[in-house]
Amino acid sequence: MTPTPTATLVARDWAEIQERMLVPLYEAVYDRLEVGPGDRLLGLDCGAGLPLLLAAGRGASATGVEADPARRALARERLLEVLAAPPSQPAADRPYDALLAFSPTRAALASALPLVRRGGAVVLAGWGPAERCTVPSVLGRGPVPRDLDALAEGAGLRPDGSGRVFCPFGYADVDSAVRGLVSTGLYDAAADPALAEKELAEALHPFERSDGAVWLPNIFQYVIARVA
């Protein structure tokens, strides 16, 4: 499937503006897992591939899964191995050591777990407490924190730690903030996208600094579990 021009622009906004906001989360998880040479990682919903690049920078071998063709195309421009869906079966010689499943659906998690070795790490991550996240207050819509422990338990995984990470969303100006937030997909359900962007820009003004920059503090949470 060839991405539409609009989809390509939105994907580039994700890659150039929004994706880096989650670097503190990725780095905290990789530090916790001590990711390094010889490790094989599989990342669900890897976007344009930044989490894979960070893992590769530590010497790991990282493969991504991304359903959106525009984001997948950008990841491949970065010379990353990114699939449209998880492989149907694990490699016979070497399953993955870790699965990075940031905000996964139950179905996506279930399809990827067989690819991870016994004792391998599964990282589930998502938004922290609503009162600690600014983004949900913008336009009165946004992400709802998930019970990651329950998700891990439902998948038959063994708990092995958790943490919270400060991930502020910082933008050069309101226009960049609107483009970045729209690229997350949080506002896709709007009946009138142009009106939604206008309302979003207005809602962001209270978070503007004197230099025009926009600052939205957020806390993300993660859970590490092990394949039994």
Side-chain angles (χ1 to χ4, degrees):
M1 179 185 298
T2 301
T4 65
T6 298
T8 298
L9 288 174
V10 172
R12 287 202 176 277
D13 283 342
W14 170 263
E16 296 172 2
I17 300 173
Q18 190 64 32
E19 181 174 49
R20 64 179 180 271
M21 308 300 177
L22 296 180
V23 166
L25 174 62
Y26 302 143
E27 294 286 17
V29 167
Y30 292 161
D31 285 345
R32 187 75 174 263
L33 295 179
E34 298 182 339
V35 170
D39 291 329
R40 296 187 72 237
L41 278 66
L42 179 65
L44 298 184
D45 299 321
C46 70
L50 183 57
L52 307 184
L53 286 174
L54 294 174
R58 292 170 176 249
S61 173
T63 299
V65 176
E66 176 53 56
D68 181 75
R71 294 190 186 190
R72 193 166 63 245
L74 291 178
R76 289 174 176 171
E77 286 180 11
R78 293 169 164 174
L79 304 181
L80 297 168
E81 181 184 7
V82 179
L83 311 173
S88 58
Q89 59 185 14
D93 57 339
R94 179 94 187 273
Y96 291 100
D97 299 301
L99 173 66
L100 309 177
F102 299 109
S103 298
T105 63
R106 292 184 182 276
L109 183 58
S111 68
L113 282 179
L115 306 173
V116 185
R117 66 172 174 81
R118 185 174 183 179
V122 177
V123 181
L124 308 175
W127 294 87
E131 66 274 11
R132 301 291 303 278
C133 296
T134 307
V135 169
S137 69
V138 177
L139 275 188
R141 61 168 72 98
V144 177
R146 301 179 66 183
D147 189 337
L148 300 178
D149 291 309
L151 182 60
E153 182 180 354
L157 299 169
R158 173 170 54 86
D160 192 30
S162 62
R164 291 183 176 181
V165 184
F166 181 53
C167 291
F169 289 6
Y171 308 92
D173 50 40
V174 170
D175 179 67
S176 294
V178 170
R179 290 166 55 200
L181 289 171
V182 167
S183 76
T184 65
L186 294 174
Y187 307 96
D188 286 352
D192 185 339
L195 178 60
E197 290 185 20
K198 180 177 181 294
E199 292 177 345
L200 177 56
E202 293 173 352
L204 287 168
H205 286 308
F207 304 99
E208 273 189 277
R209 294 186 165 184
S210 58
D211 61 356
V214 175
W215 186 252
L216 301 171
N218 301 289
I219 295 289
F220 279 73
Q221 59 183 336
Y222 68 86
V223 167
I224 296 175
R226 299 282 173 176
V227 176

Tab-separated table of all heavy atoms in Angstrom, residues 39-92:
chain	number	residue	atom	x	y	z
A	39	ASP	N	22.130	-8.774	22.100
A	39	ASP	CA	20.698	-8.832	22.388
A	39	ASP	C	19.893	-8.688	21.103
A	39	ASP	O	20.257	-7.913	20.209
A	39	ASP	CB	20.294	-7.722	23.361
A	39	ASP	CG	20.848	-7.934	24.754
A	39	ASP	OD1	21.011	-9.108	25.152
A	39	ASP	OD2	21.125	-6.933	25.441
A	40	ARG	N	18.786	-9.416	21.037
A	40	ARG	CA	17.857	-9.309	19.905
A	40	ARG	C	16.529	-8.780	20.424
A	40	ARG	O	15.922	-9.377	21.299
A	40	ARG	CB	17.664	-10.662	19.220
A	40	ARG	CG	18.923	-11.220	18.588
A	40	ARG	CD	18.627	-12.486	17.788
A	40	ARG	NE	17.910	-12.180	16.560
A	40	ARG	CZ	16.726	-12.686	16.230
A	40	ARG	NH1	16.086	-13.489	17.061
A	40	ARG	NH2	16.153	-12.380	15.073
A	41	LEU	N	16.088	-7.648	19.872
A	41	LEU	CA	14.868	-6.989	20.322
A	41	LEU	C	13.837	-6.945	19.207
A	41	LEU	O	14.180	-6.781	18.033
A	41	LEU	CB	15.156	-5.553	20.771
A	41	LEU	CG	15.700	-5.333	22.184
A	41	LEU	CD1	17.090	-5.941	22.313
A	41	LEU	CD2	15.747	-3.851	22.509
A	42	LEU	N	12.570	-7.057	19.605
A	42	LEU	CA	11.453	-6.870	18.691
A	42	LEU	C	10.590	-5.753	19.258
A	42	LEU	O	10.157	-5.814	20.406
A	42	LEU	CB	10.623	-8.157	18.563
A	42	LEU	CG	9.392	-8.074	17.645
A	42	LEU	CD1	9.828	-7.839	16.196
A	42	LEU	CD2	8.548	-9.343	17.750
A	43	GLY	N	10.359	-4.697	18.464
A	43	GLY	CA	9.587	-3.554	18.922
A	43	GLY	C	8.262	-3.440	18.203
A	43	GLY	O	8.234	-3.266	16.982
A	44	LEU	N	7.159	-3.548	18.942
A	44	LEU	CA	5.837	-3.361	18.350
A	44	LEU	C	5.522	-1.881	18.222
A	44	LEU	O	5.920	-1.074	19.067
A	44	LEU	CB	4.768	-4.026	19.224
A	44	LEU	CG	4.856	-5.546	19.422
A	44	LEU	CD1	3.658	-6.030	20.241
A	44	LEU	CD2	4.926	-6.274	18.093
A	45	ASP	N	4.788	-1.524	17.165
A	45	ASP	CA	4.400	-0.125	16.942
A	45	ASP	C	5.615	0.788	17.052
A	45	ASP	O	5.621	1.770	17.798
A	45	ASP	CB	3.323	0.303	17.941
A	45	ASP	CG	2.052	-0.522	17.808
A	45	ASP	OD1	1.670	-0.831	16.666
A	45	ASP	OD2	1.451	-0.867	18.844
A	46	CYS	N	6.637	0.475	16.267
A	46	CYS	CA	7.926	1.178	16.384
A	46	CYS	C	7.947	2.521	15.675
A	46	CYS	O	8.966	3.216	15.692
A	46	CYS	CB	9.051	0.297	15.853
A	46	CYS	SG	9.024	0.053	14.062
A	47	GLY	N	6.841	2.912	15.033
A	47	GLY	CA	6.783	4.213	14.382
A	47	GLY	C	7.806	4.345	13.271
A	47	GLY	O	7.953	3.465	12.426
A	48	ALA	N	8.532	5.459	13.281
A	48	ALA	CA	9.568	5.687	12.270
A	48	ALA	C	10.911	5.078	12.682
A	48	ALA	O	11.918	5.309	12.031
A	48	ALA	CB	9.721	7.178	12.005
A	49	GLY	N	10.923	4.333	13.789
A	49	GLY	CA	12.097	3.535	14.113
A	49	GLY	C	13.062	4.085	15.139
A	49	GLY	O	14.100	3.462	15.392
A	50	LEU	N	12.744	5.208	15.780
A	50	LEU	CA	13.697	5.767	16.731
A	50	LEU	C	14.063	4.800	17.863
A	50	LEU	O	15.238	4.679	18.210
A	50	LEU	CB	13.176	7.080	17.307
A	50	LEU	CG	14.119	7.796	18.275
A	50	LEU	CD1	15.467	8.082	17.624
A	50	LEU	CD2	13.489	9.085	18.795
A	51	PRO	N	13.105	4.084	18.464
A	51	PRO	CA	13.509	3.135	19.515
A	51	PRO	C	14.451	2.056	19.005
A	51	PRO	O	15.315	1.582	19.750
A	51	PRO	CB	12.177	2.545	19.999
A	51	PRO	CG	11.193	2.857	18.929
A	51	PRO	CD	11.638	4.126	18.296
A	52	LEU	N	14.311	1.677	17.746
A	52	LEU	CA	15.222	0.681	17.164
A	52	LEU	C	16.618	1.272	17.006
A	52	LEU	O	17.622	0.601	17.283
A	52	LEU	CB	14.703	0.211	15.803
A	52	LEU	CG	13.267	-0.310	15.720
A	52	LEU	CD1	12.982	-0.811	14.311
A	52	LEU	CD2	13.019	-1.405	16.736
A	53	LEU	N	16.685	2.528	16.571
A	53	LEU	CA	17.983	3.185	16.411
A	53	LEU	C	18.719	3.291	17.745
A	53	LEU	O	19.930	3.080	17.821
A	53	LEU	CB	17.801	4.572	15.810
A	53	LEU	CG	17.446	4.657	14.318
A	53	LEU	CD1	17.167	6.108	13.936
A	53	LEU	CD2	18.570	4.102	13.465
A	54	LEU	N	17.981	3.611	18.802
A	54	LEU	CA	18.599	3.727	20.115
A	54	LEU	C	19.129	2.383	20.599
A	54	LEU	O	20.196	2.304	21.209
A	54	LEU	CB	17.588	4.291	21.123
A	54	LEU	CG	17.128	5.728	20.873
A	54	LEU	CD1	16.018	6.105	21.848
A	54	LEU	CD2	18.293	6.704	20.989
A	55	ALA	N	18.379	1.314	20.329
A	55	ALA	CA	18.844	-0.026	20.699
A	55	ALA	C	20.069	-0.419	19.886
A	55	ALA	O	21.031	-0.980	20.418
A	55	ALA	CB	17.721	-1.041	20.492
A	56	ALA	N	20.035	-0.109	18.588
A	56	ALA	CA	21.182	-0.424	17.732
A	56	ALA	C	22.417	0.344	18.174
A	56	ALA	O	23.544	-0.160	18.080
A	56	ALA	CB	20.846	-0.100	16.275
A	57	GLY	N	22.219	1.568	18.671
A	57	GLY	CA	23.338	2.360	19.163
A	57	GLY	C	24.008	1.738	20.365
A	57	GLY	O	25.165	2.044	20.673
A	58	ARG	N	23.299	0.838	21.046
A	58	ARG	CA	23.862	0.120	22.184
A	58	ARG	C	24.453	-1.224	21.774
A	58	ARG	O	24.908	-1.993	22.621
A	58	ARG	CB	22.775	-0.096	23.244
A	58	ARG	CG	22.308	1.191	23.916
A	58	ARG	CD	21.068	0.955	24.762
A	58	ARG	NE	20.681	2.173	25.485
A	58	ARG	CZ	20.782	2.314	26.801
A	58	ARG	NH1	21.257	1.322	27.551
A	58	ARG	NH2	20.413	3.440	27.385
A	59	GLY	N	24.393	-1.519	20.473
A	59	GLY	CA	24.973	-2.755	19.967
A	59	GLY	C	23.987	-3.880	19.794
A	59	GLY	O	24.367	-4.988	19.384
A	60	ALA	N	22.708	-3.646	20.078
A	60	ALA	CA	21.704	-4.690	19.952
A	60	ALA	C	21.224	-4.813	18.508
A	60	ALA	O	21.375	-3.894	17.704
A	60	ALA	CB	20.521	-4.398	20.868
A	61	SER	N	20.617	-5.950	18.201
A	61	SER	CA	19.980	-6.164	16.909
A	61	SER	C	18.484	-5.957	17.108
A	61	SER	O	17.859	-6.661	17.915
A	61	SER	CB	20.254	-7.590	16.414
A	61	SER	OG	19.508	-7.868	15.250
A	62	ALA	N	17.902	-4.991	16.409
A	62	ALA	CA	16.509	-4.623	16.652
A	62	ALA	C	15.677	-4.719	15.381
A	62	ALA	O	16.067	-4.221	14.323
A	62	ALA	CB	16.430	-3.209	17.216
A	63	THR	N	14.523	-5.352	15.504
A	63	THR	CA	13.549	-5.457	14.426
A	63	THR	C	12.259	-4.801	14.891
A	63	THR	O	11.880	-4.927	16.055
A	63	THR	CB	13.274	-6.935	14.072
A	63	THR	OG1	14.480	-7.546	13.643
A	63	THR	CG2	12.233	-7.049	12.970
A	64	GLY	N	11.592	-4.100	13.989
A	64	GLY	CA	10.370	-3.413	14.369
A	64	GLY	C	9.148	-3.948	13.643
A	64	GLY	O	9.250	-4.611	12.601
A	65	VAL	N	7.994	-3.663	14.226
A	65	VAL	CA	6.704	-3.961	13.611
A	65	VAL	C	5.911	-2.663	13.602
A	65	VAL	O	5.755	-2.018	14.644
A	65	VAL	CB	5.939	-5.042	14.396
A	65	VAL	CG1	4.550	-5.254	13.783
A	65	VAL	CG2	6.715	-6.341	14.430
A	66	GLU	N	5.444	-2.254	12.435
A	66	GLU	CA	4.691	-1.008	12.311
A	66	GLU	C	3.634	-1.181	11.221
A	66	GLU	O	3.956	-1.431	10.063
A	66	GLU	CB	5.617	0.150	11.969
A	66	GLU	CG	4.925	1.476	11.721
A	66	GLU	CD	4.000	1.884	12.854
A	66	GLU	OE1	4.478	1.973	14.006
A	66	GLU	OE2	2.796	2.102	12.587
A	67	ALA	N	2.358	-1.048	11.603
A	67	ALA	CA	1.265	-1.251	10.660
A	67	ALA	C	1.101	-0.083	9.695
A	67	ALA	O	0.669	-0.281	8.551
A	67	ALA	CB	-0.039	-1.486	11.421
A	68	ASP	N	1.430	1.130	10.146
A	68	ASP	CA	1.228	2.303	9.299
A	68	ASP	C	2.275	2.331	8.183
A	68	ASP	O	3.477	2.401	8.453
A	68	ASP	CB	1.344	3.575	10.131
A	68	ASP	CG	1.119	4.822	9.304
A	68	ASP	OD1	-0.040	5.100	8.968
A	68	ASP	OD2	2.104	5.513	8.985
A	69	PRO	N	1.850	2.274	6.921
A	69	PRO	CA	2.823	2.196	5.818
A	69	PRO	C	3.707	3.437	5.688
A	69	PRO	O	4.863	3.333	5.289
A	69	PRO	CB	1.957	2.001	4.572
A	69	PRO	CG	0.593	2.469	4.956
A	69	PRO	CD	0.461	2.194	6.420
A	70	ALA	N	3.185	4.624	6.039
A	70	ALA	CA	3.981	5.853	5.930
A	70	ALA	C	5.107	5.848	6.959
A	70	ALA	O	6.259	6.172	6.653
A	70	ALA	CB	3.094	7.077	6.097
A	71	ARG	N	4.792	5.478	8.196
A	71	ARG	CA	5.832	5.409	9.227
A	71	ARG	C	6.823	4.288	8.912
A	71	ARG	O	8.028	4.426	9.128
A	71	ARG	CB	5.209	5.188	10.601
A	71	ARG	CG	4.369	6.360	11.088
A	71	ARG	CD	3.986	6.171	12.544
A	71	ARG	NE	3.066	7.217	12.997
A	71	ARG	CZ	2.725	7.403	14.259
A	71	ARG	NH1	3.218	6.615	15.201
A	71	ARG	NH2	1.894	8.366	14.596
A	72	ARG	N	6.294	3.199	8.418
A	72	ARG	CA	7.169	2.066	8.067
A	72	ARG	C	8.150	2.464	6.971
A	72	ARG	O	9.334	2.095	7.013
A	72	ARG	CB	6.314	0.880	7.622
A	72	ARG	CG	7.080	-0.434	7.530
A	72	ARG	CD	6.130	-1.623	7.414
A	72	ARG	NE	5.313	-1.608	6.220
A	72	ARG	CZ	3.989	-1.492	6.220
A	72	ARG	NH1	3.330	-1.364	7.359
A	72	ARG	NH2	3.307	-1.485	5.090
A	73	ALA	N	7.682	3.221	5.998
A	73	ALA	CA	8.555	3.672	4.920
A	73	ALA	C	9.671	4.562	5.444
A	73	ALA	O	10.829	4.450	5.019
A	73	ALA	CB	7.741	4.414	3.858
A	74	LEU	N	9.343	5.441	6.407
A	74	LEU	CA	10.371	6.309	6.983
A	74	LEU	C	11.393	5.499	7.771
A	74	LEU	O	12.594	5.787	7.738
A	74	LEU	CB	9.730	7.357	7.894
A	74	LEU	CG	8.894	8.431	7.191
A	74	LEU	CD1	8.274	9.364	8.226
A	74	LEU	CD2	9.745	9.233	6.218
A	75	ALA	N	10.935	4.470	8.475
A	75	ALA	CA	11.859	3.619	9.222
A	75	ALA	C	12.805	2.894	8.270
A	75	ALA	O	14.000	2.756	8.548
A	75	ALA	CB	11.079	2.614	10.066
A	76	ARG	N	12.281	2.474	7.156
A	76	ARG	CA	13.132	1.768	6.187
A	76	ARG	C	14.119	2.723	5.524
A	76	ARG	O	15.201	2.302	5.121
A	76	ARG	CB	12.254	1.057	5.153
A	76	ARG	CG	11.527	-0.151	5.741
A	76	ARG	CD	10.536	-0.776	4.781
A	76	ARG	NE	9.951	-1.980	5.352
A	76	ARG	CZ	8.920	-2.643	4.819
A	76	ARG	NH1	8.364	-2.195	3.690
A	76	ARG	NH2	8.440	-3.720	5.391
A	77	GLU	N	13.749	3.998	5.410
A	77	GLU	CA	14.708	4.983	4.912
A	77	GLU	C	15.903	5.089	5.843
A	77	GLU	O	17.007	5.456	5.420
A	77	GLU	CB	14.039	6.362	4.773
A	77	GLU	CG	13.086	6.481	3.598
A	77	GLU	CD	12.467	7.864	3.510
A	77	GLU	OE1	12.946	8.781	4.228
A	77	GLU	OE2	11.513	8.044	2.728
A	78	ARG	N	15.681	4.776	7.113
A	78	ARG	CA	16.766	4.772	8.097
A	78	ARG	C	17.529	3.446	8.099
A	78	ARG	O	18.322	3.171	8.990
A	78	ARG	CB	16.188	5.039	9.493
A	78	ARG	CG	15.623	6.446	9.675
A	78	ARG	CD	14.837	6.555	10.979
A	78	ARG	NE	14.616	7.949	11.363
A	78	ARG	CZ	13.853	8.326	12.391
A	78	ARG	NH1	13.250	7.416	13.139
A	78	ARG	NH2	13.715	9.602	12.684
A	79	LEU	N	17.233	2.606	7.103
A	79	LEU	CA	17.899	1.301	6.924
A	79	LEU	C	17.595	0.354	8.071
A	79	LEU	O	18.431	-0.470	8.471
A	79	LEU	CB	19.419	1.477	6.761
A	79	LEU	CG	19.863	2.418	5.625
A	79	LEU	CD1	21.387	2.489	5.562
A	79	LEU	CD2	19.293	1.972	4.286
A	80	LEU	N	16.381	0.434	8.598
A	80	LEU	CA	15.954	-0.446	9.673
A	80	LEU	C	15.100	-1.578	9.123
A	80	LEU	O	14.426	-1.423	8.099
A	80	LEU	CB	15.146	0.343	10.701
A	80	LEU	CG	15.899	1.458	11.435
A	80	LEU	CD1	14.928	2.348	12.186
A	80	LEU	CD2	16.938	0.872	12.369
A	81	GLU	N	15.120	-2.698	9.829
A	81	GLU	CA	14.262	-3.820	9.460
A	81	GLU	C	12.923	-3.652	10.169
A	81	GLU	O	12.830	-3.814	11.387
A	81	GLU	CB	14.894	-5.156	9.867
A	81	GLU	CG	14.038	-6.358	9.482
A	81	GLU	CD	14.605	-7.679	9.976
A	81	GLU	OE1	15.593	-7.663	10.739
A	81	GLU	OE2	14.048	-8.726	9.593
A	82	VAL	N	11.897	-3.307	9.410
A	82	VAL	CA	10.581	-3.058	9.980
A	82	VAL	C	9.546	-3.829	9.170
A	82	VAL	O	9.468	-3.691	7.948
A	82	VAL	CB	10.251	-1.554	9.993
A	82	VAL	CG1	8.857	-1.331	10.563
A	82	VAL	CG2	11.274	-0.799	10.817
A	83	LEU	N	8.745	-4.622	9.858
A	83	LEU	CA	7.743	-5.472	9.227
A	83	LEU	C	6.354	-4.874	9.406
A	83	LEU	O	6.105	-4.095	10.328
A	83	LEU	CB	7.788	-6.867	9.851
A	83	LEU	CG	9.176	-7.518	9.972
A	83	LEU	CD1	9.074	-8.817	10.776
A	83	LEU	CD2	9.783	-7.761	8.609
A	84	ALA	N	5.433	-5.274	8.552
A	84	ALA	CA	4.059	-4.799	8.663
A	84	ALA	C	3.313	-5.522	9.775
A	84	ALA	O	2.352	-4.996	10.341
A	84	ALA	CB	3.332	-4.988	7.336
A	85	ALA	N	3.755	-6.735	10.119
A	85	ALA	CA	3.129	-7.541	11.170
A	85	ALA	C	4.193	-8.447	11.767
A	85	ALA	O	5.226	-8.713	11.135
A	85	ALA	CB	1.979	-8.361	10.601
A	86	PRO	N	3.980	-8.942	12.982
A	86	PRO	CA	4.971	-9.850	13.577
A	86	PRO	C	5.157	-11.100	12.712
A	86	PRO	O	4.216	-11.532	12.037
A	86	PRO	CB	4.351	-10.218	14.931
A	86	PRO	CG	3.417	-9.098	15.236
A	86	PRO	CD	2.873	-8.653	13.907
A	87	PRO	N	6.349	-11.691	12.709
A	87	PRO	CA	6.558	-12.932	11.967
A	87	PRO	C	5.587	-14.007	12.443
A	87	PRO	O	5.136	-13.996	13.594
A	87	PRO	CB	8.012	-13.311	12.308
A	87	PRO	CG	8.642	-12.036	12.758
A	87	PRO	CD	7.551	-11.236	13.407
A	88	SER	N	5.257	-14.940	11.556
A	88	SER	CA	4.298	-15.985	11.918
A	88	SER	C	4.865	-16.980	12.913
A	88	SER	O	4.125	-17.648	13.626
A	88	SER	CB	3.832	-16.718	10.655
A	88	SER	OG	4.947	-17.278	9.970
A	89	GLN	N	6.184	-17.090	12.968
A	89	GLN	CA	6.817	-18.006	13.905
A	89	GLN	C	8.215	-17.508	14.242
A	89	GLN	O	8.816	-16.760	13.476
A	89	GLN	CB	6.903	-19.419	13.321
A	89	GLN	CG	7.689	-19.511	12.029
A	89	GLN	CD	7.643	-20.906	11.431
A	89	GLN	OE1	6.843	-21.731	11.822
A	89	GLN	NE2	8.508	-21.151	10.472
A	90	PRO	N	8.734	-17.898	15.414
A	90	PRO	CA	10.066	-17.438	15.797
A	90	PRO	C	11.146	-18.080	14.953
A	90	PRO	O	10.945	-19.137	14.348
A	90	PRO	CB	10.173	-17.884	17.266
A	90	PRO	CG	9.243	-19.049	17.357
A	90	PRO	CD	8.119	-18.748	16.428
A	91	ALA	N	12.283	-17.415	14.883
A	91	ALA	CA	13.415	-18.002	14.169
A	91	ALA	C	13.815	-19.309	14.857
A	91	ALA	O	13.846	-19.397	16.085
A	91	ALA	CB	14.589	-17.029	14.177
A	92	ALA	N	14.105	-20.323	14.064
A	92	ALA	CA	14.420	-21.638	14.625
A	92	ALA	C	15.687	-21.606	15.465
A	92	ALA	O	15.809	-22.325	16.459
A	92	ALA	CB	14.554	-22.651	13.494
